Amino acid sequence: MDVTVASPSPLAVPPGTVIDAAPATPNFGQRLMALPTQRKLMLGGGLVALLVIFVAMLSMGREGDYRVLYTNLSDKDGGAILSQLQQMQVPYKHADGGAAILVPADKVHDVRLKLAAAGLPKGSVVGFELMENQKFGVTQFQERLNFQRGLEGELTRSIQTIAGVQGARVHLALPNQNGFFREQQKASASVVLTLHPGRVLDRGQVAGIVHLVSSSVPEMSPKAVSVVDQNGSLLSQAPDGNDQSGLDAQQLQYVRQIEGNYSQRVRDILEPVVGKDNFRAQVTAEVDFSQTESTAEEYKPNQKPGEATVRSQQSSESQGQGSTTPTGVPGAASNQPPVPATAPVNGASQPLQAAQGGSTGGSNRREAVTNYEVDKMVRVTRNATGNIKRLNAAVVLNHRTVTDAKGKTTTQPIPDEELEKLTALVRETIGMDDKRGDSIKVITAPFQPVKDETDDTPLWKRPETIDIVRTLAVPAALTLAALIVVFGAIRPAIQAAKPAPPPEPEPVAEQEVTKLDAVVDDDEALPLPGEAEQLALAAPAVDTRLERAIELSKENPLAVANVLRGWMNG
């Protein structure tokens, strides 16, 4: 309420002074404190809930990327690692149904080093650390058993470091050695391997495992070590040393290697000619793994006496007295000296000299036996194993795609002349041998196009959609909760604390203005409400004006006193 007062009194307000009779407008804090208790509780609870939602969204945004710490842990090691992570106050997550433990990417290496210093993960296999915790009063049997368990664990750890081996178990049979036994039993071992899917061990790796185990146990022969895979196939050599009795895994691998090499040769020669995806080739090899060993003895004819080798020689001579009178039938034969005899090759004994001239009635006998070495040749023939007995090759060529002048695409078979050239090319590539019975078949046929399978799964059932929903569910829920808090609790409280708008002036009728002019005895006509010049001092039309006048008298009693004094003097 504006009041203009003109007073001759020195304490009166000078003429032309405008006095604001309206009460002072309370600030936002005063209006907020004047709200009901229910509104105050709603506003406070909403602000607290909004702060909690903001902190939750901020923490989710700061989670960062999680990386794998350990995978494929046993339940015992997993529990120990989680307990240690809780003590270290490191956040973690589970993945793949609990098979993997995830930690923040920037803490992976640090956490691994700290867990390794704490001896985690221990693993389900125990080694020689079992000997560190020996109890007092342990018996000799328990000590030997702990040593055997520790040795088995150390061998298992060593074997698991080999590429291709996923898991291993080692069983040692260590007999008790005693000097009173006449025959000491030898140690033996059995190894069970679990290989990664699609992986195989070659002969060198299996031999390395065998020698690793046999060299770790005193007086253990490599033949006493058996290696078996998860399918029960024997990978090592049989104990009797005869591993060629049947087609074992190594022989099958050798056959597959031969077939793969020949198939690769065919692919390398045909790919530049017909294209990479326009042919299929397979080669089947029949390999002979049988072993053949033959022994032959050969005897040569007798050699010449001068060149023959004497093995043994024996001679004897006897001589007797007789008359010198010639005896026998007179003639030329009895008068000639006898010819000395030669010893035969076979060593038969006969008189060397029948008689001597000039003596009759006496005897002289000499015998000699000579044994010669007989030539003998022993030949042993052993055929090689793994010889190729037969090769069969099959090649399928795709029809060629031809586009005519109109742009229409059709497929045509390969001409016979070109097919024969390709057959001859394949024949020379694999080294076909007709004597061996090799065969090659090359045909042409249209390949069926691969049809892409359409996924009829609804969009809301697809895995990627479910993952997106799971990822956005928590932020969306927090955002919705924040909107509910803002529009349900905070905004109504703020609206209630706003100042009330000033009441619009009521229209004053012309008769009321006339009466007002009649009451106020002056020459100036009072203006109508709503015009630019407002009434300096107007009577309150409602009770609010009276309240404002009372508040004005309390706040500025001097001005109210001057106004009243002016009224009384006027």
Side-chain angles (χ1 to χ4, degrees):
M1 181 185 298
D2 296 336
V3 179
T4 302
V5 179
S7 175
S9 175
L11 298 177
V13 180
T17 303
V18 178
I19 300 175
D20 189 6
T25 305
N27 55 16
F28 179 76
Q30 294 176 353
R31 293 193 300 269
L32 197 62
M33 295 303 295
L35 291 176
T37 306
Q38 184 178 2
R39 290 290 184 180
K40 293 180 181 179
L41 294 177
M42 290 179 60
L43 180 60
L47 292 176
V48 172
L50 190 62
L51 180 61
V52 171
I53 293 173
F54 177 74
V55 172
M57 296 182 67
L58 187 62
S59 63
M60 289 183 58
R62 290 184 177 180
E63 275 188 357
D65 188 16
Y66 275 72
R67 297 292 179 86
V68 177
L69 180 64
Y70 291 110
T71 58
N72 299 326
L73 294 174
S74 62
D75 295 339
K76 184 177 180 181
D77 286 340
I81 290 176
L82 293 184
S83 177
Q84 189 70 20
L85 291 177
Q86 291 176 359
Q87 294 180 3
M88 297 167 57
Q89 296 182 356
V90 176
Y92 61 87
K93 287 183 178 180
H94 295 284
D96 298 335
I101 299 177
L102 307 180
V103 296
D106 56 344
K107 298 183 179 180
V108 172
H109 302 289
D110 188 18
V111 171
R112 283 182 181 174
L113 293 177
K114 291 181 179 179
L115 292 177
L120 294 175
K122 296 181 180 179
S124 58
V125 179
V126 293
F128 282 134
E129 64 270 11
L130 188 63
M131 305 294 295
E132 298 176 357
N133 300 323
Q134 291 288 343
K135 298 180 181 180
F136 181 75
V138 64
T139 62
Q140 184 179 4
F141 173 76
Q142 292 176 347
E143 186 177 358
R144 290 182 60 255
L145 184 60
N146 291 336
F147 173 77
Q148 181 175 344
R149 290 180 58 194
L151 184 58
E152 291 176 352
E154 295 295 335
L155 290 175
T156 300
R157 291 174 179 175
S158 301
I159 294 174
Q160 288 178 353
T161 59
I162 300 176
V165 178
Q166 183 178 5
R169 294 193 65 182
V170 179
H171 304 278
L172 298 178
L174 304 179
N176 187 13
Q177 302 295 334
N178 195 334
F180 295 99
F181 293 160
R182 180 175 299 177
E183 294 182 0
Q184 301 290 342
Q185 296 181 356
K186 300 297 182 180
S188 60
S190 300
V191 182
V192 181
L193 301 178
T194 302
L195 305 179
H196 289 284
R199 304 288 293 274
V200 294
L201 297 180
D202 55 14
R203 188 179 295 273
Q205 290 176 317
V206 175
I209 294 174
V210 170
H211 286 276
L212 174 66
V213 176
S214 62
S215 301
S216 302
V217 180
E219 298 183 2
M220 178 180 287
S221 173
K223 296 182 180 180
V225 180
S226 301
V227 182
V228 183
D229 62 0
Q230 69 270 23
N231 298 323
S233 302
L234 182 63
L235 303 181
S236 61
Q237 187 178 3
D240 56 356
N242 185 16
D243 58 348
Q244 301 295 336
S245 58
L247 202 62
D248 58 4
Q250 300 297 332
Q251 293 175 354
L252 292 175
Q253 182 180 1
Y254 177 71
V255 173
R256 287 194 296 267
Q257 183 178 359
I258 292 178
E259 295 175 350
N261 291 337
Y262 279 108
S263 300
Q264 186 63 35
R265 289 183 185 180
V266 176
R267 285 193 292 269
D268 292 341
I269 200 67
L270 292 180
E271 184 175 343
V273 180
V274 299
K276 181 178 180 180
D277 298 329
N278 292 326
F279 74 96
R280 297 292 184 271
Q282 292 291 335
V283 178
T284 304
E286 185 179 351
V287 184
D288 184 13
F289 291 99
S290 60
Q291 288 184 347
T292 304
E293 183 177 349
S294 60
T295 304
E297 294 185 1
E298 298 180 359
Y299 295 90
K300 291 184 177 180
N302 294 332
Q303 300 178 2
K304 297 180 180 180
E307 299 177 357
T309 302
V310 178
R311 181 178 181 181
S312 62
Q313 187 175 7
Q314 182 179 1
S315 61
S316 61
E317 183 176 354
S318 61
Q319 192 174 14
Q321 297 293 331
S323 63
T324 58
T325 304
T327 59
V329 179
S334 60
N335 294 330
Q336 292 180 357
V339 180
T342 59
V345 177
N346 56 4
S349 62
Q350 67 179 14
L352 296 178
Q353 185 175 0
Q356 294 183 357
S359 63
T360 59
S363 63
N364 189 359
R365 185 181 182 86
R366 179 182 298 173
E367 294 181 357
V369 179
T370 305
N371 296 324
Y372 297 92
E373 290 287 353
V374 180
D375 289 344
K376 176 182 178 183
M377 180 181 296
V378 179
R379 181 180 289 108
V380 179
T381 304
R382 183 177 300 170
N383 295 333
T385 60
N387 296 326
I388 298 177
K389 296 176 60 178
R390 186 178 180 183
L391 287 177
N392 298 326
V395 181
V396 181
L397 303 176
N398 188 15
H399 284 184
R400 289 183 175 176
T401 303
V402 180
T403 304
D404 55 7
K406 297 181 180 180
K408 185 178 180 180
T409 302
T410 57
T411 58
Q412 296 180 358
I414 300 177
D416 295 339
E417 297 179 358
E418 187 174 355
L419 198 63
E420 292 179 358
K421 294 181 181 179
L422 295 176
T423 304
L425 190 63
V426 175
R427 181 183 296 108
E428 296 297 330
T429 301
I430 66 174
M432 179 178 177
D433 189 0
D434 295 334
K435 297 180 180 179
R436 199 168 51 187
D438 298 345
S439 64
I440 296 176
K441 188 66 176 180
V442 181
I443 64 173
T444 176
F447 287 4
Q448 296 295 331
V450 179
K451 297 181 180 180
D452 297 334
E453 297 181 358
T454 58
D455 191 5
D456 298 335
T457 305
L459 182 62
W460 57 276
K461 287 186 177 181
R462 294 182 180 179
E464 56 272 13
T465 305
I466 296 175
D467 293 340
I468 294 175
V469 170
R470 289 178 178 175
T471 304
L472 300 179
V474 177
L478 294 177
T479 304
L480 181 60
L483 293 177
I484 292 174
V485 170
V486 170
F487 290 98
I490 299 177
R491 188 173 180 273
I494 295 176
Q495 292 292 338
K498 286 184 177 180
E504 297 182 358
E506 298 179 358
V508 181
E510 185 178 355
Q511 297 178 357
E512 295 179 355
V513 175
T514 305
K515 294 179 179 179
L516 184 59
D517 291 337
V519 171
V520 180
D521 187 12
D522 55 5
D523 298 335
E524 184 179 359
L526 294 175
L528 294 174
E531 294 182 0
E533 297 181 358
Q534 298 294 333
L535 184 62
L537 183 60
V542 293
D543 295 336
T544 56
R545 295 185 180 183
L546 180 60
E547 293 177 358
R548 292 180 182 178
I550 295 173
E551 293 177 359
L552 178 61
S553 63
K554 293 179 179 179
E555 294 176 359
N556 196 351
L558 181 60
V560 174
N562 292 332
V563 171
L564 294 177
R565 185 180 294 107
W567 287 353
M568 295 173 65
N569 294 333

